[in-house]
């Protein structure tokens, strides 16, 4: 089975570049250059150096003994929460800003939902001395005040998206509109494995360092690179794409994607795209999309601001369709309880996105010999307010 | 029967005025009254927008009209019914313009067939990739539907030629690297761009859209193009209209004066 992108920019039936002509030159420039630039030795050296000395990679693979005992398996946590800025998002923003520099771009734009990708983008722009504008839904700005201020401290201009429902989807629309209006000097750093080709592939490659490291670390831990399970949460799907990437062709490794069920898959307040979505086109790619029967995009819901996106990356749509990845979901309450459990048992407060991945452990039929890697994509500092409001601890 | 758009553009001696508006805006059933008023006022072609929740190529005016139209209950199915009725009352060519996703959910081929049966003459689907179109080309041709693709000032000449080969009816030339929205006048760079387009002697006529808002920009566009498309400023005009017929007549008059 073919899991990588094909020459036309598709993963099976999904992907492509469904963009208005005004965006074509920008996307085409990227498409023709990204692989060539990423293969240049000086790019690879600068990327590797920054990941090591600035981001703090390799991130630890931690054997969570108390969690292992509880779930009757060998559970390892891939500690992306220990990355600089607190989540895996920076792996991608470092890669893209190095690429943008080599494309001769002077300005950077990005979208953000919860603010993690916005902070990761603002961080690398400060690092490289580049001008940065981040679009963020007005509603999200109100909900995620600390991240808005973090971006501002880093010198980024945060622009409220006032259209639609004023959340991540609308911030993405606004960033695309900005790019249409500034086609030559600006690079758009998309934060997930979504958007027109080559974004899903490019972001996956930048995040693939996660599974590359897991393989090496497992050899040291258990004498071989492959676990029985890799578990990761999926909003747009960038941390999952990175954690799955080097295992896609290892068919005996079970890959588990965990979506946000919100108040329940059938409650009308959910973000479980594979359960609720149908093929459609949004933000430049054909993928699974939550929408009405008339093709209007539905506003998703999750307690986690990083998972409430109405689509998933086209790679994940393909992995779902082919059955290579098993998609499960966790409700708000299941995720919050899992987050508290991890805090109490291992002393790690996870991001609520990542808590969804922990919550999936209870849904797997594990045996004592099973080796399970959970990608702990982010830390929970940004979510303290949500934990406090939820209050059941 | 000849396609109404092709007929219009091959017979007319004067520039063509094409007016874009969003279906179901300002009120759900205004789609028909606006079309009738536009014909009476002297417009040459009408483009009816299929509203979408996420119109990324549009500026604030058209975004707002999309949102309102959806709140009003507009759907692809209803729009096709409205067009059937409009077609029985006016002779102008009718173009439907919309983002791909609502069309995909309706079924792309079913949409083409039903649009043609409703009396639609042409389609503009801005986010349909050029490379995805050839699979539908035989069908749209057999249905006598023209399909217009967009070009922008950053589109290379080689690509313009490719777009020209795949387009029928007319090419939609976007006046600037921008989203939709009204502008007061075109710059000398834009005028030079229009002139360059004319010098390419494409097989399709081209209409200029984005930024047409007054008699000045309309006249500037028509200097080099077969005509111009006005959208945002028309929608601004009708959004608060108490009398669509009068306001539309005045709007068309003020543009073409």
């Amino acid at each position: 089975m073919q899991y990588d992108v094909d020459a036309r920019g598709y993963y099976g039936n999904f992907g492509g570049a469904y963009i208005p002509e005004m965006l074509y030159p920008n996307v085409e420039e990227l498409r023709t250059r990204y692989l060539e630039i990423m293969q240049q030795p000086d790019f690879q050296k600068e990327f590797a150096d920054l990941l090591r000395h600035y981001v703090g990679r390799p991130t630890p693979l931690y054997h969570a003994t108390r969690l292992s005992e509880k779930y009757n398996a060998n559970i390892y946590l891939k500690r992306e929460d220990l990355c600089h800025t607190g989540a895996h998002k920076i792996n991608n923003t470092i890669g893209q800003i190095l690429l943008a520099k080599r494309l001769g771009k002077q300005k950077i734009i990005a979208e953000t939902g919860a603010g993690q990708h916005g902070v990761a983008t603002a961080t690398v722009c400060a690092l490289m001395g580049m001008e940065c504008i981040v679009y963020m839904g007005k509603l999200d700005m109100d909900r995620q005040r600390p991240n808005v201020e973090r971006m501002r401290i880093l010198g980024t201009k945060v622009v409220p998206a006032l259209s639609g429902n004023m959340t991540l989807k609308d911030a993405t629309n606004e960033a695309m509109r900005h790019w249409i209006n500034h086609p030559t000097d600006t690079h758009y750093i998309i934060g997930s494995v979504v958007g027109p080709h080559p974004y899903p592939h490019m972001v996956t490659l930048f995040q693939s360092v996660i599974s590359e490291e897991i393989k090496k670390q497992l050899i040291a831990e258990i004498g071989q690179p492959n676990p029985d399970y890799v578990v990761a949460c999926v909003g747009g799907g960038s941390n999952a794409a990175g954690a799955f990437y080097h295992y896609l062709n290892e068919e005996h490794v079970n890959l588990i994607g965990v979506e946000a069920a919100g108040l329940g898959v059938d409650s009308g307040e959910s973000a479980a795209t594979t359960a609720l979505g149908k093929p459609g086109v949004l933000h430049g790619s054909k993928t699974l999309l939550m929408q009405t029967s008339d093709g209007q995009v539905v506003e998703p819901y999750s307690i986690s601001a990083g998972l409430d996106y109405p689509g998933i990356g086209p790679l994940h749509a393909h992995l779902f369709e082919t059955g290579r990845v098993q998609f499960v979901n966790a409700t708000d309450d299941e995720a919050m309880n899992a987050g508290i459990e991890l805090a109490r048992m291992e002393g790690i407060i996870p991001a609520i996105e990542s808590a969804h991945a922990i919550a999936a452990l209870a849904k797997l039929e594990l045996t004592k010999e099973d080796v399970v890697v959970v990608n702990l994509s982010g830390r929970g500092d940004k979510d303290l307010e949500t934990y406090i409001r939820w209050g059941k601890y | 029967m000849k396609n109404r758009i092709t007929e219009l553009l091959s017979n007319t001696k004067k520039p063509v005025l094409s007016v874009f508006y969003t279906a179901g805006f300002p009120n759900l059933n205004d789609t028909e009254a606006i079309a009738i008023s536009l014909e009476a006022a002297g417009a040459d072609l009408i483009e009816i927008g299929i509203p979408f929740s996420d119109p990324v190529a549009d500026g604030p005016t058209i975004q707002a009209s999309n949102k309102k139209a959806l709140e009003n209950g507009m759907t692809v199915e209803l729009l096709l019914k409205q067009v059937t009725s409009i077609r029985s009352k006016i002779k102008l060519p009718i173009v439907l313009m919309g983002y791909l996703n609502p069309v995909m959910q309706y079924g792309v081929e079913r949409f083409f067939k039903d649009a043609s049966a409703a009396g639609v003459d042409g389609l503009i689907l801005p986010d349909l990739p050029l490379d995805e179109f050839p699979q539908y080309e035989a069908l749209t041709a057999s249905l006598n539907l023209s399909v217009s693709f967009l070009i922008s000032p950053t589109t290379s000449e080689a690509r313009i030629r490719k777009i020209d080969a795949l387009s029928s009816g007319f090419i939609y030339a976007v006046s600037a690297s921008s989203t939709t929205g009204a502008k007061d006048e075109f710059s000398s760079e834009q005028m030079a761009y229009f002139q360059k387009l004319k010098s390419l002697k494409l097989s399709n006529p081209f209409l200029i859209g984005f930024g047409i808002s007054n008699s000045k920009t309309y006249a500037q566009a028509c200097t080099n193009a077969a005509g111009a498309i006005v959208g945002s400023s028309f929608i601004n005009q009708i959004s608060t209209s108490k009398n669509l017929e009068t306001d539309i007549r005045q709007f068309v008059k003020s543009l073409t004066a």
Side-chain angles (χ1 to χ4, degrees), chain A residues 329-358:
Chain A
N329 53 67
T331 64
D332 285 0
D333 275 343
E334 287 169 337
M336 296 305 284
N337 283 318
I340 300 298
E341 178 181 277
L342 190 68
R344 297 284 160 89
M345 295 183 72
E346 300 288 350
I348 299 169
I349 304 175
I352 298 172
E353 291 81 7
S354 320
H356 283 73
I358 302 289

Side-chain angles (χ1 to χ4, degrees), chain A residues 222-295:
Chain A
I222 60 167
Q224 57 122 340
N226 296 342
D228 297 290
Y229 292 88
V230 179
V231 184
C233 65
V234 178
S238 68
N239 91 80
F244 295 163
Y245 185 75
H246 289 286
Y247 291 114
L248 289 174
N249 293 314
E250 312 277 1
E251 301 272 354
H252 57 282
V253 178
N254 298 292
L255 304 176
I256 312 291
V258 189
E259 294 185 303
L263 300 182
V265 169
D266 300 317
S267 67
E269 297 290 336
S270 176
T273 304
T274 59
L276 299 168
K278 285 181 301 179
V281 167
L282 182 70
H283 296 148
S285 64
K286 187 196 269 190
T287 188
L288 289 172
L289 191 60
M290 289 170 58
Q291 55 186 314
T292 66
S293 59
D294 195 46

